[in-house]
Amino acid sequence: RGKLEEAAAMRVSDLMTTDVLAMMPDETVEDLDRLMRDRNVRHVPIVDRDGDLLGVVSHRDLLRHALIEQQDVPDDVAKAVLERVRVRDVMIPEPITIEAEADLRAAAQLLWDHKVGCLPVVEGRRLIGILTESDFVRLMAEGD
């Protein structure tokens, strides 16, 4: 079987990342930026103390909202602002989600239709994983 036929038979649980780097809404955007850079991730789910999904922040959201990487802003000013801005201020609330047992093709369609780069994987409201565009690229790039 080819990669496309193989992928069509898979579930979200077969491809999702379960060791998800998540943050809480009251953490700073500075900490979020550092996490994304240090761990080389582009999407971070935002959860409450119970692990229930509240939102998601993409690297693009961070760049759009914050002073990060603007050349005309002194580093100390940017740092001071990022220390004050909270994750809840930049997150996308109530993101599009998917369940672990959903069909992988349905997940790909959601990513495509909604022009998003990730789908938090939930059980009820609880975050149990994340599925990203990169996961699909990795699947197609892996050898047989």
Side-chain angles (χ1 to χ4, degrees):
R1 288 175 24 186
K3 283 285 183 193
L4 289 176
E5 293 83 17
E6 187 179 309
M10 294 174 72
R11 299 276 169 225
V12 168
S13 59
D14 296 324
L15 192 59
M16 72 183 193
T17 300
T18 55
D19 185 20
V20 183
L21 299 169
M23 293 190 81
M24 308 247 317
D26 55 345
E27 294 185 76
T28 68
V29 169
E30 181 185 31
D31 290 337
L32 174 64
D33 180 54
R34 185 178 312 112
L35 173 75
M36 290 176 130
R37 289 175 192 271
D38 291 351
R39 301 298 288 276
N40 196 29
V41 295
R42 294 181 303 165
H43 305 93
V44 177
I46 310 305
V47 297
D48 65 15
R49 295 193 189 288
D50 297 323
D52 289 347
L53 183 69
L54 300 174
V56 68
V57 178
S58 72
H59 187 250
R60 188 177 6 188
D61 299 328
L62 202 55
L63 290 175
R64 189 178 312 130
H65 182 276
L67 293 172
I68 296 170
E69 296 180 8
Q70 286 190 12
Q71 281 94 19
D72 58 345
V73 177
D75 288 346
D76 57 332
V77 173
K79 184 174 174 19
V81 170
L82 295 181
E83 287 172 347
R84 287 188 191 93
V85 179
R86 300 294 165 193
V87 169
R88 72 176 149 270
D89 299 323
V90 299
M91 74 179 190
I92 303 300
E94 301 179 25
I96 296 159
T97 62
I98 197 156
E99 294 184 352
E101 291 310 306
D103 181 83
L104 205 53
R105 187 173 293 209
Q109 193 67 53
L110 277 174
L111 288 170
W112 180 262
D113 289 346
H114 295 279
K115 307 289 186 259
V116 293
C118 78
L119 292 171
V121 183
V122 294
E123 218 171 64
R125 290 190 38 86
R126 177 146 321 198
L127 179 71
I128 62 168
I130 191 168
L131 184 67
T132 68
E133 293 170 316
S134 297
D135 294 321
F136 283 95
V137 172
R138 185 185 71 237
L139 173 67
M140 298 311 291
E142 287 176 347
D144 288 326

